[in-house]
Amino acid sequence: MPYKLYYWDGIPGRGEFVRLALEEAGADYVDVAREPDGQERGTRAMLKLLRDGDGETIPFAPPFLKDGGLLISHVANILFYLGPKLGLAPQDEGLRFVANGLQLTITDLVAEIHDTHHPIGVSLYYEDQKPEALRRSSDFLSERLPKFLGYFERVLRQNPRAGTHVVGDRLSYVDLSLFQVVEGLRYAFPKAMRDYEANIPGLIALRDAVAERPNIRSYLASDRRLSFNEAGIFRHYPELDRQS
Ligand SMILES: N[C@@H](CCC(=O)N[C@@H](CS)C(=O)NCC(=O)O)C(=O)O
């Protein structure tokens, strides 16, 4: 039975971290709200699960995954579940928790990236919080982006099995998520990233290695891969990028 991924249609958003793992593994999955000719039905099914649950549990927000009768929410939790099944988690059980810790740090980073354009209220428009977004983005670019990306660069360098893998000696879902983070940040803050990338050669090499993987390459060229846009997590508002 295929995995069922539930996520909003039209944005890569947080759903993309799960999609990349399913695509790399060539897994059988249905992107429920993006099924050809079935977007409306899929979105209705997703909203119903968000309202009523599945009889066992109720997810708070997408993305969530259904595997048979099991419903799992939160990106990091979904990937923790899928990683071993898809061959995208370290073989060592202890290292699987290390991978989960790294993925949870990505969760924190993604929340901070979201807050650059929505620092005051998730339910308000960007246009209602522009001055605050400017302050938040300026702090994010000068303090938080170097702290997070510099952290992942250090983790990569000290991985004894190293190469272009952040944990263990083979590709994991965390590598795929770091690829997406670099892509998203390049889209949202092109000037800041252009200035900063020389500081993170390992992370950029990891990004390039992921982009070259055959399944990822064909996924990126397919219409299943959604473009970044100003409704998602990674938004490009030129005024929020580095100005010089
Ligand atoms: N911690 C959750 C966050 C989920 C989340 O915030 N989902 C967004 C879309 S990317 C959403 O639909 N949120 C609705 C809400 O917070 O009311 C995860 O990592 O999956």
Side-chain angles (χ1 to χ4, degrees), residues 7-8 14 60-63 74-76 107 233:
Y7 193 66
W8 306 113
R14 289 180 171 93
F60 178 74
H74 289 272
V75 172
T107 299
I233 305 277

